[in-house]
């Protein structure tokens, strides 16, 4: 009896061992077929300098799967990450996956292109791998994911959500070593049929089943469509709130070049959208607690799918959202109110530049010196005539002041010097009088703030910056320099923050008074001046010559959203064709009337004392000097007579 039992147990053990060996041989053969299928798929999509990252649950042999891939010559190498899922808890598997994905991300960051291959027959492991590939930002849209399994498609329906949002394909092997390649279309219903794009067999190789390529750009045109929420705020001239009255409950609408671009993208990609304004009306900055405000915060928290913007690119924002291709580059300018036209009271000095005045006086001094030297020399008769030299001095000055005078005496050198001096004075006076006439007819319009330094140096001016903008985010982060001075001015009450819809009110009520100045984008300042001119018919503002802090302006999407690269491709076509600039020109009425207001104007009005008080100052100073000179002469004469009365003999001798 015992021998019979032992024999039965031995037979059962041998049967189990043979069955295990047969199963191992079948598994190895299946994996070899998977490797050949994977190689056939990779050969169609392989690019130079691509690398492979293998993620497995430990139940398969990486060398078996990748034997065929080595023939493709992955120049950047292949990296294997093994997560032992069997016999472990789900929490431990999640922790191991997060660590493996974090390390795989480092490989991806130093690689040109990456194909991530997940090999497992465990549906839970496949789902967790796809989820961590999204959460860990392992995949960009240019990189690819290929999951290989022997489970039937009916057991893998839970992969629909994650695989539909990635550049991923599913490779399923059946018992006959045939492979089927599937693609999950984005935003498709859960009960929708998965698209099979190719099949592979040992004899026939890889055969495409549809007109789709392997790894189709499935976000280029959404087959099932999608309704998106777009965060938007008014930002002329790019985004303008529609002024048409709307009924209660009617969706918010915007116009402008950026709204037209979004409309074009929606029609091309096949999605619909509704606008949602941010509660604070800001674009978005990072707070001290790590949260984000404005439209960036809405997209980051997934309250909105897209942000219309336009948004300036910054490293902080790039950590939480993705930027599309830029539409244009804009920069900051100072927009301030123009002063009232006025005549320069010292305008009588303007007809001649300072070097001309200096050379004229230098010529007169040289002329007087030559006259003194020649007049001091003894004549042929041996007589020195100092009085004649003094008279010639007075003649030259009288000619310069256009007073009446008589010609010099009979000496030839006196006539020669006087003739040359008359020609010089004639040219100077005629030029001066003609230019002075035109100068007095010109009124100057003060435009003092041409640089940010000039704005900061004026302690009486208040700067108005945009709240929640990329510029303010940068200014908040600097620790030194001129932009740090901008933040320090807030302590003195010289920094004011405003949202874009408040710009027109701020410009009309504050900037026109001359005590406030807007520091805003160049295009936005032009729109404000255009709107003001359309309302009043006046150009009351000017832009500074200095520009600073250039920024690329883009839309934003959720981090890792495949819609962003699809939109970027179309934005590139629109901007390169010049449509965006054309839309801006078409929607900007009177856009150039006040873009470069003149700093001087010509008038025919009468001149007042306020225009000519500089001349009277010169007359008053001349009279004062004359009085002082007269007083000195009287004092000197008094002293002279006093000395004569005290010492009559000495003085008479």
């Amino acid at each position: 009896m015992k021998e019979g039992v032992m024999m039965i147990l031995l037979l059962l053990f041998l049967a189990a061992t043979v069955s295990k060996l047969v199963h191992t041989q079948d598994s190895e053969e299946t994996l070899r077929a998977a490797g050949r299928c994977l190689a056939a798929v990779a050969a169609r999509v392989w690019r130079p300098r691509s690398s492979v990252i293998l993620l497995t649950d430990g139940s398969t042999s990486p060398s078996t799967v990748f034997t065929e891939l080595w023939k493709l010559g992955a120049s950047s190498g292949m990296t294997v990450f093994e997560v032992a899922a069997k016999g472990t808890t789900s929490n431990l598997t999640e922790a191991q996956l997060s660590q493996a994905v974090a390390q795989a991300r480092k490989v991806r960051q130093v690689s040109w292109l990456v194909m991530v291959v997940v090999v497992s027959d465990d549906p839970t492991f496949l789902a967790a791998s796809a989820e961590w590939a999204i959460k860990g930002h392992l995949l960009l849209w240019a990189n690819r994911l290929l999951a290989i399994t022997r489970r039937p498609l009916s057991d893998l329906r839970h992969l629909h959500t994650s695989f539909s949002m990635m550049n991923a394909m599913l490779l399923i092997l059946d018992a006959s070593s045939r492979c089927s390649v599937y693609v999950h279309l984005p935003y498709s219903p859960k009960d929708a049929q998965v698209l099979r794009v190719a099949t592979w067999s040992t004899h026939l190789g890889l055969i495409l089943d549809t007109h789709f390529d392997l790894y189709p750009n499935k976000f280029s045109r959404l087959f099932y469509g999608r309704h998106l929420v777009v965060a938007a705020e008014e930002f002329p001239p790019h985004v303008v709130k529609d002024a048409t009255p709307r009924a209660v409950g009617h969706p918010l609408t915007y116009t402008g070049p950026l709204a037209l671009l979004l409309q074009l993208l929606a029609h091309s990609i096949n999605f619909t959208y509704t606008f949602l304004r941010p509660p604070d009306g800001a674009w978005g900055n990072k707070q001290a607690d790590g949260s984000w405000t404005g439209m960036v915060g809405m997209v980051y928290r997934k309250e909105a799918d897209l942000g219309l913007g336009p948004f300036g690119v910054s490293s902080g924002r790039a950590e939480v959202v993705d930027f599309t291709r830029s539409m244009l580059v804009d920069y900051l300018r100072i927009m301030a109110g123009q002063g009232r036209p006025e005549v320069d009271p010292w305008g009588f000095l303007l007809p001649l530049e300072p070097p001309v005045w200096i050379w004229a006086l230098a010529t007169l001094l040289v002329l007087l010196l030559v006259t003194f030297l020649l007049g001091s020399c003894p004549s042929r008769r041996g007589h020195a005539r100092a009085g004649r030299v003094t008279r010639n001095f007075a003649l030259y000055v009288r000619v310069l002041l256009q007073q009446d005078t008589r010609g010099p005496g009979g000496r030839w050198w006196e006539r020669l010097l006087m003739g040359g001096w008359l020609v010089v004075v004639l040219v100077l006076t005629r030029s001066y009088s003609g230019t002075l006439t035109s100068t007095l007819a010109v009124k100057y319009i003060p435009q003092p703030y041409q640089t940010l330094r000039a704005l900061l140096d004026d302690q009486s001016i208040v700067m108005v910056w945009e709240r929640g903008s990329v510029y303010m985010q940068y200014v908040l982060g600097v620790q030194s320099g001129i932009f740090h001075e901008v933040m320090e001015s807030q302590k003195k009450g010289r920094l004011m923050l405003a949202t874009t819809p408040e710009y027109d009110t701020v410009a009309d009520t504050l900037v026109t008074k001359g005590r406030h100045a807007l520091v805003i984008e160049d295009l936005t300042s032009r729109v404000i001046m255009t709107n003001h001119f359309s309302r009043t018919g006046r150009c009351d503002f000017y832009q500074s010559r200095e520009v600073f802090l250039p920024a690329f302006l883009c839309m934003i999407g959720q981090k890792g959203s495949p819609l962003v690269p699809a939109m970027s491709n179309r934005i590139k076509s629109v901007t390169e064709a010049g449509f965006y600039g054309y839309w801006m020109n078409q929607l900007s009425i009177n856009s150039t009337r006040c873009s470069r207001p003149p700093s001087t104007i010509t008038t025919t009005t009468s001149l007042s004392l306020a225009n000519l008080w500089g001349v009277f100052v010169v007359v008053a100073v001349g009279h004062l000097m004359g009085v002082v000179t007269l007083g000195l002469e009287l004092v000197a004469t008094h002293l002279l007579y006093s000395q004569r009365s005290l010492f009559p003999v000495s003085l008479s001798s």
Side-chain angles (χ1 to χ4, degrees):
M1 184 67 179
K2 290 182 179 180
E3 293 179 354
V5 173
M6 291 296 295
M7 182 62 68
I8 292 174
L9 291 176
L10 179 60
L11 290 174
L12 290 174
F13 175 75
L14 291 174
T17 303
V18 171
S19 175
K20 184 176 181 180
L21 290 174
V22 172
H23 179 74
T24 302
Q25 292 177 356
D26 292 342
S27 177
E28 292 293 330
E29 182 61 30
T30 302
L31 289 175
R32 292 191 187 95
R36 292 193 294 270
C37 179
L38 175 62
V41 172
R44 290 290 188 95
V45 298
W46 199 264
R47 295 181 183 178
R49 293 186 289 177
S50 296
S51 59
V52 177
I53 297 176
L54 172 64
L55 189 62
T56 177
D57 60 0
S59 62
T60 57
S61 173
S63 60
T64 305
V65 177
F66 273 162
T67 299
E68 297 295 331
L69 276 180
W70 284 104
K71 300 177 182 180
L72 293 176
S75 60
S76 297
M78 301 183 185
T79 309
V80 179
F81 294 94
E82 183 176 288
V83 179
K86 291 186 177 180
T88 60
T89 63
S90 59
N91 293 335
L92 182 58
T93 303
E94 289 283 330
Q96 292 176 342
L97 270 175
S98 65
Q99 294 176 5
V101 169
Q103 296 299 322
R105 184 182 179 186
K106 295 180 180 178
V107 176
R108 191 263 296 171
Q109 290 174 342
V110 297
S111 302
W112 183 257
L113 288 174
V114 168
M115 176 183 287
V116 179
V117 181
V118 181
V119 182
S120 178
D121 291 333
D122 185 0
T124 303
F125 182 82
L126 293 174
S129 301
E131 181 181 353
W132 274 103
I134 295 176
K135 291 194 301 184
H137 305 296
L138 176 59
L139 290 179
L140 301 176
W141 183 252
N143 301 322
R144 299 177 173 91
L145 172 69
L146 180 61
I148 305 174
T149 184
R150 289 175 292 190
R151 299 300 294 264
L153 187 62
S154 58
D155 295 345
L156 305 173
R157 295 188 179 277
H158 61 289
L159 300 178
H160 174 271
T161 302
S162 57
F163 272 55
S164 65
M165 299 303 295
M166 295 189 299
N167 194 11
M169 291 195 304
L170 182 64
L171 193 153
I172 299 179
L173 291 86
D174 56 20
S176 59
S177 297
R178 295 179 70 254
C179 298
S180 298
V181 184
Y182 296 93
V183 170
H184 296 76
L185 295 180
Y187 307 117
S188 57
K190 291 185 178 181
D191 56 349
Q193 186 176 1
V194 183
L195 179 65
R196 191 177 72 175
V197 295
T199 58
W200 179 88
S201 63
T202 305
H203 302 290
L204 299 178
L206 188 67
I207 300 175
L208 296 179
D209 289 353
T210 65
H211 65 279
F212 290 102
D213 295 330
L214 294 176
Y215 289 105
N217 190 0
K218 53 190 179 182
F219 284 87
S220 177
R221 175 75 180 176
L222 301 179
F223 184 80
Y224 291 96
R226 179 67 173 178
H227 186 80
L228 304 178
V229 177
V230 181
E233 183 57 273
E234 188 175 8
F235 188 74
H238 307 282
V239 182
V240 181
K241 186 178 179 181
D242 191 359
T244 305
R246 57 191 182 95
V248 178
H250 192 274
L252 183 66
T253 57
Y254 288 98
T255 60
L258 201 53
L260 288 176
L261 178 60
L262 179 64
Q263 184 179 352
L264 178 63
L265 294 175
H267 177 75
S268 177
I269 300 178
N270 188 29
F271 65 83
T272 58
Y273 58 89
T274 53
F275 290 116
L276 183 63
R277 299 184 67 178
D280 55 2
W283 263 237
N285 277 337
K286 188 176 183 179
Q287 302 298 103
D289 58 357
S291 62
W292 284 82
T293 62
M295 290 181 281
V296 175
M298 295 174 64
V299 176
Y300 173 55
R301 295 187 298 270
K302 297 186 178 181
E303 299 171 3
D305 299 284
L306 300 173
L308 188 59
F311 296 88
V313 178
S314 69
S315 58
R317 290 177 174 179
E319 294 178 357
V320 295
V321 297
D322 283 342
F323 291 93
T324 66
R325 186 182 179 90
S326 63
M327 284 77 69
L328 75 162
V329 179
D330 206 350
Y331 37 79
L332 291 184
R333 283 188 190 269
I334 300 170
M335 193 189 88
Q338 292 198 112
R340 297 301 178 186
E342 59 186 27
V343 175
D344 189 350
W346 300 98
F348 64 91
L349 298 175
L350 298 178
L352 300 180
E353 292 187 354
V356 179
W357 289 104
I358 294 173
W359 277 100
L361 295 177
T363 303
L364 177 59
L365 293 177
V366 171
L367 189 62
L368 295 177
L369 180 60
V370 172
T371 304
F372 175 77
L373 294 176
L374 294 178
S376 300
C377 296
S379 62
R380 296 177 183 176
R381 300 176 183 177
H383 299 287
R385 300 181 179 178
R388 198 174 191 83
V389 174
T390 305
R391 191 196 65 172
N392 287 337
F393 287 173
L395 287 175
Y396 296 141
V397 175
R398 292 175 67 87
V399 169
L400 179 62
L401 299 178
Q402 293 186 316
Q403 297 178 349
D404 62 322
T405 180
R406 296 180 181 180
R411 292 192 175 188
W412 63 269
W413 59 269
E414 292 177 326
R415 296 191 185 95
L416 183 61
L417 291 177
M418 181 58 71
W421 181 240
L422 283 171
V423 173
V424 172
V425 172
L426 177 64
V427 174
L428 285 176
T429 54
R430 294 298 183 183
S431 302
Y432 176 84
S433 59
T435 308
L436 179 62
T437 302
S438 59
T439 301
L440 293 177
V442 173
K443 289 188 176 182
Y444 294 87
I445 303 175
Q447 298 179 356
Y449 308 117
Q450 296 297 336
T451 63
L452 186 59
R453 170 52 57 194
L455 196 63
L456 287 169
D457 290 343
D458 189 348
Q459 299 297 320
S460 63
I461 199 73
V462 177
M463 297 173 289
V464 183
W465 288 63
E466 182 183 358
R467 179 186 293 115
S469 65
V470 66
Y471 306 104
M472 281 306 301
Q473 182 181 359
Y474 172 76
V475 170
L476 287 170
V478 296
Q479 300 298 324
S480 61
I482 190 170
F483 295 108
H484 181 67
E485 295 182 36
V486 173
M487 289 309 303
E488 290 297 316
S489 65
Q490 188 175 21
K491 301 177 182 178
K492 303 176 182 179
R494 296 186 53 216
L495 181 61
M496 172 181 171
L497 301 180
T499 58
T500 306
E502 299 172 345
Y503 278 169
D504 283 329
T505 303
V506 170
D508 290 343
T509 59
L510 298 178
V511 179
T512 52
K513 296 180 180 179
R515 293 296 88 198
H516 291 73
L518 279 166
V519 183
I520 55 176
E521 291 85 351
D522 174 64
L523 292 174
T524 306
S525 64
R526 295 185 186 184
V527 172
I528 294 175
M529 292 190 294
T530 297
N531 295 338
H532 182 77
F533 179 82
S534 300
R535 292 191 300 267
T536 64
R538 301 190 310 270
C539 295
D540 293 333
F541 308 102
Y542 72 94
Q543 292 177 308
S544 65
R545 290 188 295 268
E546 181 186 58
V547 297
F548 45 92
L549 291 183
F552 292 93
L553 300 184
C554 319
M555 297 183 189
I556 62 172
Q558 294 178 4
K559 194 66 179 177
S561 173
L563 278 173
V564 174
M567 295 171 60
S568 295
N569 291 333
R570 285 167 170 79
I571 292 174
K572 176 182 178 182
S573 301
V574 170
T575 54
E576 288 182 347
F579 285 116
Y580 197 83
Y582 174 77
W583 293 337
M584 291 189 63
N585 293 333
Q586 290 296 313
L587 296 177
S588 298
I589 304 174
N590 298 327
S591 59
T592 60
R593 296 298 297 268
C594 298
S595 59
R596 288 293 181 268
S599 59
T600 60
I601 59 174
T602 304
T603 62
T604 57
T605 58
S606 301
L607 297 176
S608 63
L609 181 61
N611 307 135
L612 298 176
W613 61 266
V615 178
F616 294 100
V617 169
V618 174
V619 174
V621 171
H623 283 73
L624 180 61
M625 293 177 63
V627 171
V628 172
T629 304
L630 177 60
L632 293 176
E633 290 180 353
L634 293 176
V635 172
T637 304
H638 177 72
L639 292 176
L640 180 62
Y641 281 104
S642 298
Q643 291 178 359
R644 285 183 178 180
S645 61
L646 292 175
F647 308 101
V649 177
S650 300
L651 293 177
S652 61
S653 61

